[in-house]
Amino acid sequence: MDGFLLTYDGFDPRTEGLREALTSTGNGYLCTRGAAEWEDADGVHYPGTYAHGGYNRETTMMGGLPVLNEDLVNLPNWLVLQVRVEGEDAIRFDDVELLGYRHEYDIRHATVLRRLRFRDHAGRETTLTSRRFVSMADAHHAGIEWTLVPENWSGHVEVISALDSRVTNSGVPRYRQLEGRHLNPVSPRTFGPEVIALKAETRQSNIYISQATRTRVFQGGEQLPATRTLYQMEDYIQQVLAFDVRQGEATRVEKMVAFYTSRDPAVSDTLVRAARSAARHSDFAGASERHGAAWDELWRTCDVGASGNEQVQLLLRLHIAHLLQVCSPHTADLDAGMPARGLNGEAYRGHVFWDEMYAFPFLSVRLPEVARGLLMYRYRRIGEARAAAREAGFRGAMFPWQSGSEGVEETQRVHLNPLSGRWEPDLSRNQRHVNAAIFFNIWNYFQATSDYAFLESYGAEMMLDIARFWASIAHFNSARERYEIHGVMGPDEFHEKYPGAQQGGLRNNAYTNVMVAWLCDIAAKLPSLLSASSAEGLRARLGIGDDELALWQDMSRRMFVPFDSGGIISQFEGWDELEELDWDAYRAKYENIQRLDRILRAEGDDPDRYKIAKQADTVMLFFLFSDEELREIFERLGYDYGSDTAARNIAYYDQRTSHGSTLSFVTHAGVLAALDPESSWERFLVALRSDVDDIQGGTTQEGIHMGVMAGTLEVVQRYYAGTQIRDGVLYFTPRLPSGLDGLSFPLQFRETPLLVTLGGGQLTVAVHPDGASHPIRAGIPGDVRELCPGDRAVFGLA
């Protein structure tokens, strides 16, 4: 095993959807599920292609009420490649006897391969090998190569190469009652004898999508002059290439495809542009070579070497590949956010949530231009965030819990409980902590890059307007002499409101209030970090006076944090009045209790009654901040923070958390790294395998979980290697788990490329000789050194 190959032997219809999601091919511009080219969407197979920003809104009438949803659109299916032998029906899995089948995913170059031997109804035995990639070298290109070998026959073959826009969004069963048609046909066209093209338009957002393909057949290295027959409708076009094959001799089919949308720069007519691009496309071998070289370059920047466990190494690289398929250098200028389920499924409708904060630490020190681009997605929507705050009676910028094309709130008002079959109110838009996450991402991007240009032009404006929002949603309780925040939810989505309450939201969610205390401290000091002219201009533009800066400073010292009688931080005010759940009884009754909320509601009960958490909420504080940072925050607030505060709180909530979100395993793996290394490693392995094993029972086939994939990389980087940036210093406090012998990874700190190696009781930091000219400061606590290009520092570890 070379650490870069995911393999499946044998075809299994029950897991095909999962395999399609895990073997998707993408390049940060678009992504296509790893579906077989010869299969249609049918309940087993689901070919889907998605591009950043390709959203469309549709309304469904439900019970006489209009339900509006914006979806990331399933784009026309460009994969269609089918074979007919001697005029019979096109070959499908269901119609042949499989003699051998292997489905591989080359992680190194994001290439999906299928090798199958089959016997058809006439007893003909054939080997078909399929290779496919979406080009990382050219964002608009993709290619498929088939190698067809008739084993015991010779005869006449037809290959069907098509583009199909008769697709819908139907990949998530619980959404199927909602409108899934998002495309209107525009036109099919041919360009010369070889190129066919198809143009469609999203029904509401009016985005044009065009695809064009050139299909050729080769035998013995020579192109065959195959007979071509055309068939087209307004939403479908195909070319049939007819030729003869001989027993034992290989025939190659190449389908080279080009994609353009009306969101792309430097494009007049997307159809003509795609056709011209497809006609100019090099052959499969040349395009594949350039694609591979582009991936090799990315791996030099982004690989994480983990020695001592081949399976861990493989899955870390799988997660890196998926992150780069969604957020590559091609993404930087696209006006793209990071959809929580990537670009290879329709769960969460392709919306952007808070869990991008799990990906920023990896991207900021490897592909800072991509991290900057994701932050610009937020900045371009600050107008909608300000409007949302105003309409809710607040000031500043209130970013949405679910964001799509325009940055308005896309969260549904109702959602379907698949256990009860009932539509229930969705109050999750009250998770205002997304605003704190955006502030956190901007600040930590700046710490990693020292990108003053971004901070002065965009970042500081967002941060100050987010602080202003929190100051306006908070109110001062004179009896406590503390600031409080009411009517919000924390990350734990089991608690949307108080038991029996009509109104959604909770009082004083601890995670939210502590985050606000932290960010208000930074916001109050932020103008002093900018140049005098930038600070003056920004304060004038936003109307920020000294009184507002003083208010933020006061909030940083006097936010209210609830505690129970035993000194445990209460997840929210009133938590200690809730009932304890009989966890053993529910574990005995149900095979999987991760989604306790759905179980309880299906039983006619209410999760709001109990001291239960879906995922890490209060514990998130111990994940995002070091012990030293939290001690500073709590002491500034006037609360005790003892040597056992972290351990006691983490243990308390660990016993009351169902881990209904895979993110929760990431968080607990991180916070337990120093407290309970073995338990940390167990949680890490669950998180690492959560998508490849589909531990939530069918959700991964609807789109991989970007947060948990990126989160596993963050646990390795932040907790096992101990990487942290503080006060301009790159610190390492390694806690290598017993399951690993060593770690090695490149990163870039403030324009300076480094290689970090951990193992054998020592840490080595090597600065690339061709890096930035300025020195950096890096080391372990108590031993910080100044390093220049070419320097190599070795630190002994206790």
Side-chain angles (χ1 to χ4, degrees):
M1 183 188 291
D2 69 352
F4 282 99
L5 197 62
L6 183 67
T7 61
Y8 300 101
D9 284 309
F11 175 67
D12 180 1
R14 295 167 303 171
T15 61
E16 183 65 7
L18 171 63
R19 295 179 184 185
E20 288 176 356
L22 291 171
T23 63
S24 62
T25 51
N27 61 10
Y29 169 79
L30 62 80
C31 195
T32 297
R33 291 167 60 84
E37 295 92 4
W38 51 88
E39 299 287 350
D40 297 323
D42 61 2
V44 172
H45 311 278
Y46 193 72
T49 293
Y50 311 90
H52 275 302
Y55 291 104
N56 186 70
R57 292 182 201 284
E58 290 295 337
T59 301
T60 308
M61 296 305 296
M62 297 190 64
L65 294 173
V67 177
L68 179 67
N69 281 295
E70 182 175 75
D71 289 78
L72 191 67
V73 177
N74 182 13
L75 301 179
N77 182 14
W78 61 277
L79 298 179
V80 187
L81 202 56
Q82 298 172 325
V83 61
R84 290 198 297 241
V85 179
E86 299 291 359
E88 296 180 5
D89 288 345
I91 299 293
R92 296 182 188 278
F93 280 127
D94 288 347
D95 302 328
V96 296
E97 178 190 353
L98 277 180
L99 305 175
Y101 180 79
R102 189 171 174 88
H103 179 172
E104 294 181 352
Y105 184 63
D106 171 12
I107 295 168
R108 189 190 300 275
H109 296 142
T111 302
V112 64
L113 304 96
R114 275 187 175 82
R115 297 185 181 92
L116 57 154
R117 287 184 63 241
F118 59 87
R119 182 184 294 123
D120 63 22
H121 295 307
R124 291 177 293 245
E125 294 177 6
T126 308
T127 297
L128 172 62
T129 305
S130 164
R131 281 202 302 157
R132 182 168 91 226
F133 67 89
V134 172
S135 179
M136 190 59 86
D138 182 337
H140 301 280
H141 281 175
I144 303 170
E145 179 193 64
W146 271 15
T147 304
L148 198 67
V149 181
E151 293 186 1
N152 64 351
W153 61 280
S154 300
H156 190 65
V157 163
E158 294 169 309
V159 166
I160 302 157
S161 177
L163 302 169
D164 186 359
S165 70
R166 302 169 302 169
V167 297
T168 61
N169 276 49
S170 55
V172 179
R174 62 189 173 280
Y175 299 164
R176 285 179 191 157
Q177 293 180 39
L178 304 167
E179 180 59 71
R181 293 180 306 138
H182 292 287
L183 294 173
N184 280 331
V186 178
S187 65
R189 253 181 88 181
T190 58
F191 292 82
E194 290 188 330
V195 175
I196 59 173
L198 186 69
K199 187 177 190 177
E201 181 185 19
T202 53
R203 285 157 46 111
Q204 166 271 331
S205 54
N206 304 121
I207 301 170
Y208 286 113
I209 302 107
S210 292
Q211 301 173 348
T213 181
R214 185 196 70 208
T215 310
R216 291 172 173 170
V217 182
F218 298 86
Q219 283 178 351
E222 298 295 318
Q223 185 177 346
L224 272 187
T227 305
R228 295 170 186 263
T229 308
L230 182 73
Y231 175 79
Q232 64 186 50
M233 304 185 296
E234 62 177 1
D235 51 9
Y236 178 89
I237 185 168
Q238 75 175 29
Q239 203 174 46
V240 181
L241 289 78
F243 50 92
D244 291 324
V245 296
R246 287 187 294 276
Q247 180 178 343
E249 294 186 9
T251 300
R252 276 195 324 107
V253 180
E254 288 187 0
K255 180 176 183 178
M256 308 307 287
V257 186
F259 311 81
Y260 284 88
T261 80
S262 51
R263 298 181 81 248
D264 294 325
V267 175
S268 171
D269 183 328
T270 56
L271 190 71
V272 173
R273 186 76 175 88
R276 195 164 62 224
S277 187
R280 292 170 176 169
H281 219 313
S282 64
D283 63 3
F284 184 92
S288 177
E289 189 175 336
R290 287 196 306 280
H291 163 73
W295 267 104
D296 288 343
E297 185 179 346
L298 277 176
W299 284 112
R300 283 192 288 275
T301 307
C302 299
D303 195 12
V304 173
S307 57
N309 189 312
E310 289 186 342
Q311 195 67 16
V312 167
Q313 178 67 88
L314 178 76
L315 294 178
L316 285 173
R317 284 177 171 155
L318 179 69
H319 291 184
I320 293 167
H322 272 289
L323 182 58
L324 295 177
Q325 284 190 50
V326 177
C327 301
S328 82
H330 294 304
T331 317
D333 297 324
L334 280 184
D335 183 33
M338 190 190 88
R341 300 300 279 274
L343 293 175
N344 52 9
E346 294 159 16
Y348 301 160
R349 308 183 180 284
H351 294 162
V352 180
F353 290 72
W354 75 304
D355 45 5
E356 60 185 10
M357 76 191 302
Y358 287 85
F360 268 92
F362 184 87
L363 294 171
S364 293
V365 293
R366 288 173 181 80
L367 299 170
E369 73 281 10
V370 178
R372 190 183 204 268
L374 295 176
L375 292 173
M376 286 303 298
Y377 166 86
R378 297 294 190 179
Y379 181 77
R380 294 186 188 104
R381 287 152 184 78
I382 197 169
E384 285 297 342
R386 286 170 175 151
R390 273 197 312 274
E391 287 163 17
F394 306 125
R395 301 177 70 218
M398 184 174 78
F399 287 90
W401 175 237
Q402 295 190 32
S403 183
S405 59
E406 297 177 310
V408 300
E409 182 60 79
E410 302 292 353
T411 305
Q412 300 144 283
R413 296 283 180 182
V414 293
H415 65 255
L416 181 66
N417 181 339
L419 295 187
S420 68
R422 291 193 298 268
W423 289 88
E424 297 166 350
D426 189 334
L427 303 174
S428 60
R429 65 184 58 231
N430 289 323
Q431 292 192 70
R432 298 299 171 205
H433 61 87
V434 63
N435 294 275
I438 294 168
F439 188 108
F440 186 87
N441 293 339
I442 298 166
W443 180 246
N444 284 284
Y445 165 78
F446 174 67
Q447 294 300 303
T449 62
S450 204
D451 186 350
Y452 276 94
F454 173 80
L455 190 69
E456 294 195 335
S457 299
Y458 312 107
E461 182 179 346
M462 282 191 280
M463 293 167 81
L464 295 175
D465 250 354
I466 288 170
R468 174 176 273 174
F469 160 71
W470 286 116
S472 71
I473 198 174
H475 69 272
F476 187 70
N477 181 335
S478 54
R480 283 178 169 152
E481 295 198 338
R482 294 268 182 189
Y483 293 91
E484 301 186 3
I485 297 173
H486 295 184
V488 299
M489 283 172 62
D492 164 30
E493 294 172 321
F494 282 179
H495 291 280
E496 301 178 324
K497 58 186 177 63
Y498 289 100
Q502 296 301 307
Q503 197 71 20
L506 305 161
R507 296 187 305 277
N508 296 314
N509 170 253
Y511 170 74
T512 302
N513 286 17
V514 173
M515 288 292 282
V516 170
W518 167 79
L519 68 84
C520 279
D521 178 57
I522 291 173
K525 300 169 183 172
L526 195 56
S528 66
L529 295 178
L530 310 177
S531 66
S533 60
S534 287
E536 187 179 342
L538 187 58
R539 287 184 61 175
R541 203 161 69 244
L542 297 181
I544 295 174
D546 291 344
D547 55 340
E548 200 162 3
L549 295 177
L551 170 62
W552 298 342
Q553 193 61 257
D554 196 40
M555 287 176 64
S556 78
R557 298 177 184 282
R558 292 207 282 175
M559 284 301 300
F560 175 68
V561 181
F563 289 83
D564 71 11
S565 55
I568 295 291
I569 302 167
S570 287
Q571 186 173 299
F572 51 83
E573 193 172 5
W575 167 271
D576 54 344
E577 296 165 22
L578 304 180
E579 298 173 42
E580 293 282 9
L581 184 80
D582 186 345
W583 287 85
D584 291 338
Y586 276 87
R587 288 192 180 100
K589 189 174 179 182
Y590 295 96
E591 186 179 345
N592 185 330
I593 61 166
Q594 286 180 280
R595 290 309 303 267
L596 260 174
D597 57 333
R598 290 174 175 170
I599 291 171
L600 288 166
R601 289 196 180 105
E603 289 184 346
D605 207 340
D606 181 0
D608 287 321
R609 289 176 51 204
Y610 299 100
K611 290 177 179 172
I612 58 174
K614 175 184 175 183
Q615 65 196 69
D617 188 307
T618 307
V619 174
M620 274 297 296
L621 294 169
F622 304 96
F623 182 80
L624 296 179
F625 299 107
S626 69
D627 224 38
E628 295 78 16
E629 288 172 308
L630 276 180
R631 181 172 283 104
E632 278 180 24
I633 296 167
F634 275 82
E635 287 178 354
R636 190 172 64 238
L637 289 169
Y639 293 114
D640 289 337
Y641 191 92
S643 57
D644 64 345
T645 296
R648 290 177 63 233
N649 278 276
I650 291 163
Y652 174 87
Y653 284 104
D654 198 13
Q655 295 166 8
R656 291 164 178 82
T657 301
S658 75
H659 304 292
S661 164
T662 49
L663 288 174
S664 196
F665 292 110
V666 166
T667 305
H668 281 260
V671 298
L672 289 169
L675 299 170
D676 186 346
E678 290 309 310
S679 183
S680 166
W681 184 244
E682 287 171 17
R683 313 300 176 92
F684 173 74
L685 292 178
V686 173
L688 195 68
R689 298 202 62 87
S690 59
D691 266 352
V692 79
D693 288 346
D694 194 15
I695 65 169
Q696 290 194 329
T699 63
T700 301
Q701 69 181 24
E702 302 167 356
I704 51 93
H705 297 77
M706 286 304 310
V708 72
M709 285 192 169
T712 58
L713 304 173
E714 167 68 337
V715 170
V716 170
Q717 175 176 298
R718 169 84 190 275
Y719 286 96
Y720 294 161
T723 314
Q724 190 189 10
I725 298 162
R726 194 151 187 230
D727 301 326
V729 178
L730 181 62
Y731 283 106
F732 297 92
T733 49
R735 302 181 186 96
L736 195 65
S738 59
L740 293 177
D741 295 336
L743 290 169
S744 177
F745 52 87
L747 56 80
Q748 180 178 314
F749 175 52
R750 300 191 171 184
E751 300 181 328
T752 302
L754 316 165
L755 179 65
V756 178
T757 310
L758 176 63
Q762 62 184 33
L763 169 80
T764 304
V765 180
V767 185
H768 197 282
D770 302 325
S773 57
H774 57 82
I776 60 157
R777 297 177 69 225
I780 61 176
D783 185 5
V784 174
R785 307 178 198 175
E786 187 169 276
L787 302 176
C788 297
D791 285 353
R792 183 173 176 275
V794 179
F795 302 88
L797 303 173

